[in-house]
Each structure stands twice: as C-alpha cells, then as structure tokens.
Amino acid sequence: MPREQIIADLKAAGLVGRGGAAFPTGVKWEGAAKEIQARAVPAGEATGYIICNADESETGTFKDRILMERDPHRLIEAMIIAAHAVAANRGIIYVRGEYPLAFTRLSDAVEDARANQLLGINILNSGLEFDIEMRAGAGAYVCGEETALMESIEGRRGEPRVKPPFPTTHGLFGKPTVINNVETLANVPGIVMNGPRWYRQWGTERSPGTRLVCLSGSVRKPGLYEISMGLPLRSLIFNLGGGMARGRTLQAALVGGAAGAFLTPQQMDVPMDFQSLTAVGATFGSGAVMVFDDSVALWSVMRGITKFFAHESCGKCFPCQLGTQRQMEIVARAASGQGRSGDHDALIALGQTMRDASLCGLGQTAASALLSALDKKLVQAP
Amino acid sequence: MSPVTLAINGQTVTVPAGTTIREAARTIGVDVPTVCYHPHFTANSLCRVCVVEMERSRVLVPACSRAVENDMVIFTDSPRVRLSRRTILELMHSAVDLSQAPEIMALLREYQADDGRFAGVGETLAVAQRDLPLHDDNAMYIRDYSKCILCWRCVQACGTDIQYTFALSLGGRGFQTRVATYFDAPIPETTCVYCGNCVAACPTGALKGKREWLIEQGKPLEPMPLGPKRRRRRADGEHLDLLDDRGHR
Ligand SMILES: Cc1cc2nc3c(=O)[nH]c(=O)nc-3n(C[C@H](O)[C@H](O)[C@H](O)COP(=O)(O)O)c2cc1C
Ligand code: SF4
Ligand code: SF4
Ligand code: FES
C-alpha cells in the first residue's frame, strides 16, 4: 500500500494517541514523513526513528503490559507499517524496566521477525530497510514523557526537553521521530487491513474506535476492558465492573490515573470519550479508572498521589521540582488533621502554577487530581 | 529570514524570525522578568519565572526560549502570569537562602510574595529549606549549596557552554536535585581547572571565591597556592576583573 494511503487511512479512521495526549496519529506520521523526505541522508545512515513507548508507568495502568505479553507480533507489525509510511529505517521499543516478561516476549518476537526476513535490510525483498532495537527503562515515571525517553536512550539524565521543536522534526539523536504508545500502535494493523470505515463501527463520530480501560479499586470485577468509546462510566463501573461490594456505595472515581481527575457519583453518566470527559474537566489519560467506595479515606489517596509526583519529579523546572514537594507536605498535614488556615488557597495557587508553568506534562498534571477533589469538595482543607 | 509579526500586550510587533518572545517584548519596552536566563548560556527554561500567556495555548510559555511565530497573541503580565510568577518565587524563597541574590529578592518584593506560605512547612515534616552542606574543599572557591537555586549555569559553564571540563554535573531528582561532582569527589579530585567561570556565573552567592568568603566570615586569609592573578568578583557583584593579591588590576 502506498505510504500516503496509510497516513490518509489513519486520519480518516480518526485514530488518536492512547499515551495520554490524544494527538492525531496520522498527523504525527505525516509530519515525520515530510521531514524525512526533506532531509537527504547518505545510504546506511538513520533516516528517522519509530519508537514504541512501552514505559507504561501511570498509576493504575496495565493495558500495554497485556498487549505486549499476549500479542507482541502485532506491535512489530505496526512498527513496520509506520516505518514504511514515514520512510524511517530505525526502530526502538522502550519497555518499562519493571516489565521483564514483556521485554522477553517482545525480544523473542523481534528475533522471530528477523529470522523470517520481516526486519532487516531488505524486508521480504521489498527494498524496505527497518530494524528494531530493544531498550529497557530504569524505573523513572518521567522517562515515559517522549523527550525524556529520548534523552534516556541518548545516555543522559531522563529530563524532558523544551518543546517546540517536536520529535517529528527533532527527535531521537536529532532525527525525525514518530513516537507512539503501545495501544495506539496496536490499533494500526486493523485499520490498514480493514479500512477506516471498519474502525469507525465502534466509538463516536469524534472519538472513533475502541479503548482499553484499566478498571481497579473498589469494584467486584477489576480488570482490563475493551470498550467502544462513548460507553457511559456508569456501565463500566456497574455493569462490566460489577459495582461495589455489598453494603458499599460509590464515593468517587479517578479517571486517567494519578494525572487524571476525580468524578463524583453525580457524574457517572458521562460517556467515556475524549470530548465528553474533557467537558466535565477530566481526561481519558492512560485509560485508568480507579474506583473508591465510601470506606476509602480520600485524603490518604491524595497523600499517595502527591507523594508519587514528589518522588517522580525530575527536578528540571522550578514549579514542579519545588511545588510537588510542598504539595506533598501540605497534603500530608491536612491528611493527618493538622491543616493550617490558608492551606486551601496555597494548594490552589500551587496547583494552578504547576499546571500553567511547568515544563512537561508531569508537573502540568501533578495537581490535577487534587484540584478536582478540592473543587468537588471530596476533600477539604482549611 | 523573513520578519515575523505578532501582538504583545495589544501592540503589534515585527521582529526577525528566530527572535524570542522576551527579545521581541524588549523592542517595545516591555521587560519580562527572568531568573535562570543568561545571555551567555543556552536557555533551558528552568525557572519559569519568564512565562507569558499565549492565546490558544493550554499552558503558559517561557519567553526566554520560545521563538516568535506569526500571529502569536502574547500577554506578559496577565493575572494568570502574575500568579505563576509569584508562586514560583515563594517556592524558591521557601527552599533556598536567597539573602545574597538581590535581583531575586527584588522580584519577591515586586510580586508581593508571601514569605510564610510555603516556608515553615518543615515544622511538621522533615524538609523545610534545602539543608545542603557547604563544601570548602579547595583553595579557590567554596560551594554553599543552601544558596543554590539550580539554575544550571555553573554546570553549563563547566560543560559545553564555555569550558568543556565537565567537573560539575547534576545529581538526585525532584526536590533532592543538586549540583554535584562525579562520585561527589572533592573539587581537587575532579577535572576542574579553576577557570572560575562557574563562580562568575552563579547568581546567588552559592559559588564564591575563597578569599571573598574568608573576608566575609572575618577569617584570616590563607596563602594563595596558585599564580599571582586570578578572577575576583568586584563589589557590585556583576563584573569580573583579573586582580592581583592586593586587589589591583
Ligand atoms: C510524565 C509523563 C509520562 C508519560 N508516560 C507515558 C507512558 O508511560 N507511555 C506512553 O505511551 N506515553 C506516556 N506519556 C505520553 C508521551 O509523552 C507521548 O505523548 C506518547 O508516547 C505519544 O504517543 P501517542 O500519540 O501514541 O499517545 C507520558 C507523558 C508524560 C508527561
Ligand atoms: S514538570 Fe517536573 S518532571 Fe517535567 S520537567 Fe519540570 S521538574 Fe521535570
Ligand atoms: S551553584 Fe549557582 S550557578 Fe550553579 S546552579 Fe546553583 S545557583 Fe546556579
Ligand atoms: S528565565 Fe525563562 S525559564 Fe527561567
């Protein structure tokens, strides 16, 4: 299939990234393809990179692990398609360090593909050159951020770069780079094989397709669910997830992981698609839905979340380096009933500052759950 | 390159492509405050004090590094911008000894920063200010990291922005980030060549000539082990001159 056709199909299918930012995949591939075409590179050198972001570290998220462990060949197929579509000749799968089984299965699948001439200098005698290198992360959440991930591959501290420029023009080792999440890539072979109309039989007009949701917390049947986008949150929690344990009632759901937002029992009818979630101040994020029944102390949940961000901040930019620490401290004292007057306002100012002024998505979302919880009075500070 | 036209605080500005928002603002007499930015160093946009509001952007953007684009609509002093600046300054003040950073102290006053909001947090928890040791390990300069704001200038001066010596690096992460040497070795055991560029670049007095520090402390001066001339900071803290032992040029 001609490369323009692949990109056109992805755009028509309306596929957007599943790594958190929901960026249109076709547009991303097109940007890299143009840049690679514009740069003439001597034969044998890297033209550009296809990176599979398999660093999955968002709290409550385990969808990519299942895809990698159970269907590794699909990812390799998607990466070969991407390589062909944008004319990149190098690939990297960056797997979270704590996922040894996924790493082994993917490594074996890469070996299989090489042995069967599906990777290498002349794939199936088509003239296409593409090979994949496996890399393991070292445990930092921030290394899932695309530019920190590239810094880490290049051998430096895993700190995000200032954007723009974006990876499609200045990516790994300065080369045009497509970086996609595991789940995003897993959608590609189906779209290329069956076409955009097939894909659009699921989901809504503006959020086509299906989505993997990692359901955890106080539900009877936690687990990984593939839903057609637009399914109401209530159906997910009460039909698929089986609802709360006997005698318990729903207190709140955290949608999108630690970087996401809390929704209240009154908001359960929100359809799980990008636009509807944004409209209620939430995001789909990584697809994590954590459910808390009335027995859970939400201040201790907030304590865990703010501790997570203080621990994972890379320390590069001041608002997050200092703000995640202060946020954790103030939440800790509020959680232990020692809040001081002015804490509420301080947390709001801190949260807005981190959201607005931080360099990368980590700091920008480090207060997201807390701000939503304060806003909805799920927790209260003096 | 073709010129770029944008709006800053309601005024139309035309500047050459590649100009930063900060530079563009200066052409119409608008000063954007900066802390980590320095014209001789690569702008890494760390402090975020220079952030400005840009229409159609979800977040604020750093004026020190962001290049202008046609039709950008920029506000350099909106309430959102002022809130971020003020909070960042308060956070810095809560963690770092800024007593020898007059420019930053002036910004704290300008933005009416509240001293106590984030300070004192350490009463109930372990960390208040960054309590880092003072390193007095060589004859030329001291490193007092309780005054360090992590602007990276010394690391950049020691690295690819000036000296290519790489004696200084960063260690730790988050609130525990710090300027370090490899394996935390004392300076004489590193690649340091005592060029003094890091000391000259430090905006907060965290790095300071040894003799200046001794005089400040009222301690007796030690004999100088190195050549007769070395870099010293002049009283105004800004300029560097080569001075001999008696302070003559
Ligand atoms: C702190 C942080 C952590 C991230 N972690 C991941 C991750 O583990 N996996 C992932 O696919 N994307 C992660 N992202 C998003 C990536 O930066 C990037 O947007 C994504 O890999 C792009 O792929 P997509 O367009 O297919 O979603 C993270 C972003 C941030 C800010
Ligand atoms: S927001 Fe946090 S993680 Fe991101 S660059 Fe700033 S300090 Fe690092
Ligand atoms: S020691 Fe000085 S120059 Fe170096 S990072 Fe700290 S404040 Fe900046
Ligand atoms: S001056 Fe721009 S981020 Fe510090």
Side-chain angles (χ1 to χ4, degrees), chain B residues 34-37 45-50 62 64:
Chain B
T34 59
V35 169
C36 68
Y37 174 80
S45 297
L46 309 170
C47 75
R48 322 299 286 183
V49 166
C50 70
C64 67

Side-chain angles (χ1 to χ4, degrees), chain B residues 144-145 147-155 168 170 179 198 201-207:
Chain B
D144 178 5
Y145 288 130
K147 295 191 174 67
C148 172
I149 56 168
L150 290 167
C151 71
W152 290 14
R153 277 187 209 165
C154 53
V155 180
L168 298 175
L170 292 161
V179 177
C198 60
C202 180
T204 62
L207 303 181

